[in-house]
Amino acid sequence: TFAEKFKRSYMKQYIITIILALCLGSCGQHSKHWETLTQVEAFMEERPDSALNVLQGMDIENDDYGQMLKYYAHGKVECNDEDYPASIISFFNAEKIAKKLNNYYILGLIYHSVSDIYGKVHNNIEQQNYAQLAYDNFILTGKADNILIGLETLAEAHYNNNDYDRCAALSQQLIEKAAENNDESIINRGLKLLSRSYIKTAKYEDAKDVLLRLKSQASNLTPQDYRN
């Protein structure tokens, strides 16, 4: 009947109005610190101490994005201080919020950092597990730089876990993707990792070819490449 149709139409419009109101309220609240928080995120990985100082001075108690960054920065600082148990707790607190926000980049960073911690304490199985999680989430960002970081981390984890064949396969992927991205630094690190994997599996001729390729690119190496 007309009355029923009118009622359904009214309820539909009412629901849409409520959803829009909630979205506008959420967006308004979220944008309050958005610019500052995105700036903090940009330098947080390189300078977690500075990032944490900024975040601790902000009113972000009810801001999920800000709280996520604060937990992550705290975890990085604790990791640098070699307080690994506290660091992992901070990272997992950040993980809860990152999952809620579907922030695959921060999730990738969290798992990358946790993988690094397990590598430092020689828990190679967990290092590999979290490296895989980091790579999976970096893929979801769709950004080549993130994917390269994840792939390199995963290849190194397989090497440390004595899975040299898998490390070699991942290193080859890393070299190919780094070439597509014109990232010579990562290409060189991939070649080094590939040669080490070949040596571990007694594929000395293959290792020789890789090392010769690496030598031919020596003119393009930077001081940072030599440190790596």
Side-chain angles (χ1 to χ4, degrees):
T1 66
F2 174 81
E4 290 174 337
K5 290 181 179 179
F6 178 83
K7 184 178 179 180
R8 285 197 297 269
S9 176
Y10 175 82
M11 288 303 298
K12 180 179 180 181
Q13 186 62 40
Y14 176 78
I15 292 170
I16 291 172
T17 302
I18 293 297
I19 292 173
L20 286 173
L22 290 172
C23 287
L24 289 172
S26 175
C27 291
Q29 182 182 12
H30 184 64
S31 64
K32 180 180 179 182
H33 300 294
W34 179 258
E35 185 176 353
T36 302
L37 291 174
T38 54
Q39 291 173 353
V40 170
E41 182 181 318
F43 68 79
M44 179 177 61
E45 192 67 13
E46 295 296 326
R47 292 179 289 161
D49 296 77
S50 299
L52 185 58
N53 286 336
V54 173
L55 292 166
Q56 287 176 331
M58 296 176 66
D59 179 17
I60 53 174
E61 184 177 350
N62 297 315
D63 189 312
D64 282 343
Y65 181 39
Q67 286 295 313
M68 175 187 69
L69 296 183
K70 185 176 177 180
Y71 278 127
Y72 179 75
H74 209 158
K76 291 293 289 186
V77 170
E78 290 165 334
C79 182
N80 291 340
D81 290 339
E82 298 184 357
D83 188 354
Y84 300 136
S87 178
I88 287 179
I89 290 173
S90 294
F91 286 139
F92 286 166
N93 283 329
E95 177 198 30
K96 293 175 185 176
I97 304 175
K99 284 183 174 180
K100 177 182 176 181
L101 300 177
N102 290 325
N103 193 316
Y104 303 118
Y105 173 63
I106 296 297
L107 282 170
L109 290 180
I110 290 167
Y111 297 135
H112 177 275
S113 298
V114 174
S115 174
D116 185 53
I117 288 174
Y118 279 118
K120 289 176 179 176
V121 299
H122 307 293
N123 186 334
N124 298 327
I125 293 176
E126 288 302 317
Q127 180 190 15
Q128 182 177 308
N129 290 338
Y130 280 97
Q132 183 68 58
L133 286 172
Y135 179 55
D136 292 344
N137 279 275
F138 281 141
I139 285 179
L140 292 174
T141 69
K143 296 182 179 179
D145 290 344
N146 299 340
I147 294 170
L148 287 173
I149 292 171
L151 190 54
E152 183 177 9
T153 301
L154 185 58
E156 290 175 346
H158 277 277
Y159 181 89
N160 291 339
N161 204 27
N162 302 322
D163 189 356
Y164 304 121
D165 288 333
R166 182 59 178 158
C167 176
L170 291 169
S171 297
Q172 289 172 331
Q173 290 182 40
L174 177 66
I175 294 164
E176 292 171 4
K177 289 184 180 296
E180 293 172 4
N181 209 41
N182 296 316
D183 194 322
E184 292 184 358
S185 179
I186 291 184
I187 291 173
N188 292 325
R189 296 204 297 271
L191 288 170
K192 290 179 182 179
L193 195 53
L194 180 59
S195 66
R196 287 162 54 201
S197 298
Y198 282 150
I199 290 170
K200 286 290 187 178
T201 53
K203 297 178 180 178
Y204 300 118
E205 286 301 316
D206 290 333
K208 178 182 176 181
D209 292 340
V210 174
L211 290 170
L212 287 173
R213 179 181 171 184
L214 185 61
K215 181 180 178 181
S216 70
Q217 296 184 190
S219 59
N220 297 322
L221 294 179
T222 65
Q224 181 64 36
D225 292 321
Y226 283 106
R227 284 195 291 271
N228 292 327

